[in-house]
Amino acid sequence: MPNMSLTKVPMPEQDPNVRNKNFEEVALGYTKEMAMEEATRCINCKNKPCMSGCPVCVRIPEFIAKVAAGEFEEAYKIITSTNGLPAVCGRVCPQENQCEGKCVRGIKGEPVSIGRLERFVADYHMAHSNDDAVKPESNGIKVAVVGAGPAGLTCAGDLAKLGYEVTIFEAFHKAGGVLVYGIPEFRLPKAIVQKEVENLEALGVKVETDMVIGRVLSIDEIMEMGFKAVFIGSGAGLPSFMGIEGEALVGVYSANEYLTRANLMKAYLDDYDTPIIKSKNVAVVGGGNVAMDAARTALRLGAENVYIVYRRGMEELPARGEEVHHAIEEGIIFKTLNNPVKLIGDEDGRVCKMECVEMELGEPDASGRRRPMVIEGSNFQLDVDTVIMSLGTSPNPLIRTTTEGLEANKWGCLVVNEDTLETTRDNVYAGGDAVTGAATVILAMGAGKQAAASIHERLSK
Amino acid sequence: MYKILRRKQLNDTVVRLDVEAPFIAKKAKAGQFIILRIDERGERMPLTIADTNAEEGSVSIIFQIVGQTTMLLSQMKEGDFLLDFVGPLGAATEFGDIKKACVIGGGVGNAIAYPSAKALFNMGVDVDVIAGFRSKDIVILEDEYKEVCNRLFITTDDGTYGEKGFVTNKLQDLIDAGNNYDLVIAIGPIPMMKFVSKVTEPYNIKTLVSLNPIMIDGTGMCGGCRVTVGGEIKFACVDGPDFDGHQVDYDELMKRNSTYREFEAHDRENCRMYKAADEMGGAK
């Protein structure tokens, strides 16, 4: 008889007033007992709509049945047969729009907590298993992957399992992409990402860091080195600015820079050499997950007041509901229906005020969202010493401008065949944010999987 | 890991390191730079490529000791390894089709000016070099320059070596003497590049400067190095580091470079090298 409780088994969390001063993980994860209890809420329905919501098709009811039975290693095998990064996905996927959004238990009450269960299984395995992944027998065919973010890691893992000799070229000094430079420690501990990368290396994947493709090697030179196919998973890392007066003042960051300093360079730790501004009053402009991450990071670095400045309303925030909820609990101040028009500096060129206007929402625009309109004469000034622009990112032009015949659309996203993910260059594939523009970790992983399947089909003919 | 093949002390505070990095050595062109990280706790620091040797697979960097990272770097010995060494980054200098050029270096900026002089000279351009220093004891690269230019003029602010005065005085003299330069390249402290650009502006001489803003990744993903050129925002790490000297907002760049001044001062006094020495019972 399934557990008919309408609500999820709650997950323990650090107290908001404790956690907003440290960088340790906020959500503490299920215990064995909690996981087994939550697992019994799955009714193992016939149609498995949850699976259609998962971009990498994890066999969800099957793994949950194993959790309910206490067979956690079995559950891990089922998940990892299609998902190479379960500890990551269980933490950062927007499950409410994916697997959990389709769960039949969600029609009346809360859906089964698929993400928390996936996370539990992955963490349990990491804590208890000593079996290293076994390197499959090589088929002798070399494939290159450009970018060690979620798309590249997934593509590399799938190809390695099929016997390919895979080399990942990564521009930064650490593999992981946004998982290491973007998403903060308090949402995704870096040790977990490191472990997932080590799992790949155990499968025989080589990770070459400090390799900026487009500068040190071109795509053509990679092909000349004997790689039979290339997968480009270089992401969308180019930050946007607003183009308003004062954006070059000292104290104005892109979210990418602020988070890279904090996360990748560990500027929050005293014994690391990279500096970051110690702020009092911080305004983060934007309403997505990256904006929430930047705001919550600023708070942990000791800021007294942290504002989210967003031109639409609370209902329209693109960030995950859970992240907004966490931000509010921690004391982030939401100034929605506000938009900056100018940044004002002091005589040393440091930002000291942000001039904003109030907004109201008009008729829906072409994208279906209600268009924000300025309320004339509503200008006001906010005291700030740090401004973090979190307005979205687009693909970096470095690879497409140095590779002949590689076509991109007007937003700079690489053009691919939707079925195979092959680009306009023979045997060069692409996926993730480099193709879609900034999207989610799991969609990038889905693309990495799809490209690996296409590459295998082509090369094994 | 990247091995240090040779170390040479050029003056009291300037050091040259030749680093084993064959991929970079093969690809690098004048005007490009690398980013290095000494160890796991280190910051990412940009340095211009001063020279390359493709056969040996080595890349030379020349730096002045100004803070914690350069201090730690200066302590490294032949056979030691740098954890990270990334490049070549930035766009190569576009010299254009020219006949006569003047390359101007200020202080340690001469390390960056040198590869430009060398590239131009090897293209068959008539190259004058003006190398400016505060004083005699910090003069560097004199012999190297002589190999790659038609005329070398050394100036010192205090007149202890070469001609007394600033590089701008010498440039003005050369222009007044009828030297028709198609291109002036100025690399050094921000005020020096600003004033060289002021000298050349009335004569409409194309002037390139190499900017040195604060950088993190060096690949265009953060915008920390943004500069205003001709009223537009540019990322120095991908659009530069060379820009039209007559279009750059130098005052803004100087202010942005002071962002972490307090942190850096604190760092100089509390360099972890000293700390380690303290912990071992050593003296400062």
Side-chain angles (χ1 to χ4, degrees):
Chain A
M1 178 62 194
N3 169 356
M4 293 313 287
S5 165
L6 292 181
T7 53
K8 296 175 174 180
V9 172
M11 178 158 60
E13 288 176 348
Q14 277 197 75
D15 182 82
N17 284 317
V18 173
R19 72 180 192 234
N20 63 11
K21 295 172 194 71
N22 69 48
F23 277 81
E24 281 150 44
E25 195 169 16
V26 167
L28 302 171
Y30 279 160
T31 60
K32 248 198 283 194
E33 292 71 26
M34 291 171 187
M36 288 167 74
E37 190 192 339
E38 177 65 20
T40 59
R41 292 185 63 232
C42 173
I43 56 172
N44 200 7
C45 58
K46 215 186 250 170
N47 295 333
K48 308 178 187 4
C50 53
M51 281 181 64
S52 69
C54 174
V56 297
C57 293
V58 169
R59 284 157 22 228
I60 294 165
E62 274 182 62
F63 100 74
I64 292 183
K66 294 293 180 191
V67 176
E71 296 167 17
F72 307 131
E73 286 300 327
E74 293 302 312
Y76 182 77
K77 278 183 199 144
I78 293 167
I79 296 173
T80 49
S81 67
T82 59
N83 182 353
L85 308 169
V88 174
C89 292
R91 285 173 166 84
V92 305
C93 274
Q95 288 103 1
E96 63 272 26
N97 304 324
Q98 296 178 333
C99 54
E100 293 181 22
K102 301 253 168 109
C103 173
V104 294
R105 294 295 309 267
I107 297 166
K108 195 180 165 192
E110 290 182 346
V112 174
S113 192
I114 301 164
R116 292 175 187 176
L117 290 174
E118 181 181 40
R119 166 188 165 147
F120 166 78
V121 170
D123 289 358
Y124 183 91
H125 173 80
M126 254 184 224
H128 294 91
S129 168
N130 296 319
D131 339 335
D132 282 332
V134 181
K135 184 181 184 313
E137 196 177 326
S138 168
N139 65 12
I141 302 172
K142 284 166 66 177
V143 177
V145 170
V146 179
L153 293 177
T154 303
C155 185
D158 278 21
L159 288 169
K161 283 179 192 163
L162 292 163
Y164 290 88
E165 298 278 339
V166 184
T167 301
I168 304 180
F169 295 105
E170 165 59 38
F172 261 136
H173 55 260
K174 265 206 174 62
V178 76
L179 307 178
V180 294
Y181 76 75
I183 303 175
E185 184 78 16
F186 55 83
R187 277 216 293 142
L188 178 63
K190 300 305 150 225
I192 286 169
V193 182
Q194 188 56 36
K195 186 75 191 161
E196 302 279 33
V197 173
E198 283 165 15
N199 285 343
L200 279 186
E201 288 175 326
L203 288 171
V205 174
K206 273 188 231 149
V207 182
E208 301 271 3
T209 52
D210 294 346
M211 294 293 274
V212 183
I213 302 308
R215 290 280 193 226
V216 70
L217 289 175
S218 66
I219 297 291
D220 292 284
E221 284 168 320
I222 290 175
M223 295 298 246
E224 284 161 22
M225 287 161 72
F227 290 96
K228 297 293 175 213
V230 179
F231 173 73
I232 302 174
S234 51
L238 190 73
S240 307
F241 288 90
M242 292 187 83
I244 58 173
E245 191 184 325
E247 274 184 306
L249 290 166
V250 173
V252 184
Y253 285 103
S254 71
N256 263 11
E257 179 182 359
Y258 194 76
L259 291 171
T260 299
R261 284 178 182 274
N263 297 326
L264 181 72
M265 306 312 296
K266 303 207 184 309
Y268 67 89
L269 295 175
D270 276 345
D271 55 352
Y272 279 71
D273 295 347
T274 300
I276 198 161
I277 287 183
K278 298 276 178 275
S279 320
K280 258 195 178 148
N281 300 304
V282 180
V284 179
V285 183
N289 286 322
V290 178
M292 301 304 137
D293 286 345
R296 296 170 69 197
T297 298
L299 202 65
R300 284 161 170 79
L301 283 166
E304 287 164 20
N305 297 299
V306 180
Y307 309 101
I308 290 278
V309 178
Y310 179 59
R311 62 192 184 135
R312 290 185 162 94
M314 287 301 285
E315 295 299 307
E316 286 79 20
L317 282 167
R320 288 187 68 190
E322 188 182 329
E323 301 309 326
V324 174
H325 170 72
H326 278 152
I328 293 170
E329 279 186 339
E330 290 170 10
I332 305 287
I333 303 154
F334 282 76
K335 297 191 87 63
T336 50
L337 290 168
N338 279 190
N339 204 32
V341 289
K342 181 161 91 172
L343 304 178
I344 300 160
D346 63 16
E347 54 198 29
D348 295 328
R350 290 181 178 253
V351 67
C352 60
K353 286 184 193 306
M354 181 161 98
E355 185 167 322
C356 296
V357 286
E358 290 177 22
M359 311 291 282
E360 59 189 348
L361 293 180
E363 296 300 307
D365 63 13
S367 72
R369 295 197 297 177
R370 292 177 65 192
R371 193 144 51 102
M373 295 182 312
V374 176
I375 301 175
E376 291 303 330
S378 61
N379 297 46
F380 69 98
Q381 290 186 348
L382 200 59
D383 283 334
V384 292
D385 52 36
T386 305
V387 173
I388 302 169
M389 292 293 177
S390 179
L391 310 160
T393 54
S394 57
N396 191 310
L398 209 49
I399 291 175
R400 67 171 191 267
T401 53
T402 54
T403 309
E404 223 172 292
L406 195 62
E407 280 173 33
N409 67 18
K410 62 177 172 176
W411 297 283
C413 301
L414 295 177
V415 175
V416 294
N417 173 324
E418 279 181 29
D419 298 323
T420 62
L421 295 187
E422 191 170 25
T423 63
T424 50
R425 280 285 304 268
D426 201 32
N427 268 321
V428 177
Y429 298 75
D433 288 2
V435 169
T436 58
T440 61
V441 168
I442 190 71
L443 283 173
M445 291 177 55
K449 248 188 142 44
Q450 190 186 348
S454 306
I455 291 170
H456 179 53
E457 197 185 305
R458 174 82 171 268
L459 296 183
S460 59
K461 260 181 200 163
Chain B
M1 302 279 275
Y2 302 83
K3 190 178 181 182
I4 295 171
L5 299 174
R6 273 179 302 280
R7 180 192 186 283
K8 194 177 169 195
Q9 189 88 34
L10 301 188
N11 66 34
D12 279 357
T13 59
V14 176
V15 174
R16 171 184 169 132
L17 295 178
D18 298 347
V19 180
E20 189 171 54
F23 280 117
I24 305 175
K26 208 170 132 187
K27 251 325 187 357
K29 293 198 175 73
Q32 292 189 297
F33 65 96
I34 58 93
I35 282 196
L36 63 79
R37 197 168 67 121
I38 294 177
D39 58 22
E40 198 47 49
R41 288 188 284 161
E43 61 181 339
R44 292 170 67 95
M45 185 183 69
L47 281 173
T48 300
I49 295 169
D51 213 346
T52 54
N53 182 332
E55 281 141 49
E56 186 185 55
S58 67
V59 172
S60 308
I61 48 172
I62 295 177
F63 59 93
Q64 184 163 24
I65 301 168
V66 289
Q68 164 150 297
T69 299
T70 45
M71 201 178 287
L72 291 170
L73 194 59
S74 74
Q75 298 298 314
M76 298 190 75
K77 295 185 277 298
E78 289 179 7
D80 286 350
F81 288 85
L82 296 169
L83 185 55
D84 296 293
F85 199 78
V86 192
L89 300 171
T93 305
E94 285 189 25
F95 299 111
D97 185 18
I98 53 166
K99 291 192 179 63
K100 191 171 173 66
C102 185
V103 177
I104 307 173
V108 76
N110 280 293
I112 312 171
Y114 167 75
S116 290
K118 184 176 171 181
L120 283 167
F121 190 72
N122 289 339
M123 282 162 59
V125 175
D126 182 354
V127 180
D128 284 350
V129 169
I130 308 173
F133 302 92
R134 209 176 48 245
S135 156
K136 181 183 178 179
D137 52 338
I138 59 165
V139 172
I140 55 170
L141 295 171
E142 186 175 1
D143 294 336
E144 286 86 346
Y145 265 137
K146 280 181 185 157
E147 301 289 316
V148 298
C149 68
N150 298 74
R151 293 187 293 176
L152 171 65
F153 306 97
I154 292 183
T155 65
T156 49
D157 300 357
D158 60 6
T160 46
Y161 193 68
E163 297 177 45
K164 181 173 161 63
F166 298 125
V167 292
T168 40
N169 307 132
K170 187 67 207 175
L171 176 63
Q172 186 69 59
D173 291 348
L174 287 169
I175 293 172
D176 291 344
N179 288 287
N180 292 317
Y181 296 118
D182 308 311
L183 172 69
V184 167
I185 296 179
I187 304 169
I190 299 167
M192 171 268 197
M193 294 192 282
K194 178 180 172 178
F195 288 115
V196 166
S197 300
K198 278 200 172 148
V199 170
T200 57
E201 201 163 12
Y203 306 98
N204 254 331
I205 303 172
K206 182 183 164 189
T207 303
L208 285 178
V209 294
S210 178
L211 302 186
N212 56 347
I214 295 171
M215 286 188 190
I216 289 283
D217 62 293
T219 61
M221 62 79 76
C222 84
C225 66
R226 61 195 188 277
V227 289
T228 304
V229 181
E232 277 179 54
I233 288 188
K234 300 278 183 190
F235 289 5
C237 72
V238 287
D239 300 319
D242 293 342
F243 292 100
D244 178 348
H246 299 144
Q247 302 282 323
V248 171
D249 186 336
Y250 294 100
D251 297 339
E252 177 188 284
L253 173 60
M254 252 184 286
K255 283 177 182 157
R256 284 189 60 80
N257 275 2
S258 73
T259 305
Y260 301 105
R261 195 179 282 154
E262 287 164 36
F263 185 98
E264 286 157 0
H266 173 269
D267 243 26
R268 266 193 298 280
E269 286 159 24
N270 297 277
C271 177
R272 55 185 161 99
M273 202 169 71
Y274 293 145
K275 270 196 211 161
D278 276 350
E279 280 157 20
M280 289 185 298
K284 272 193 188 180

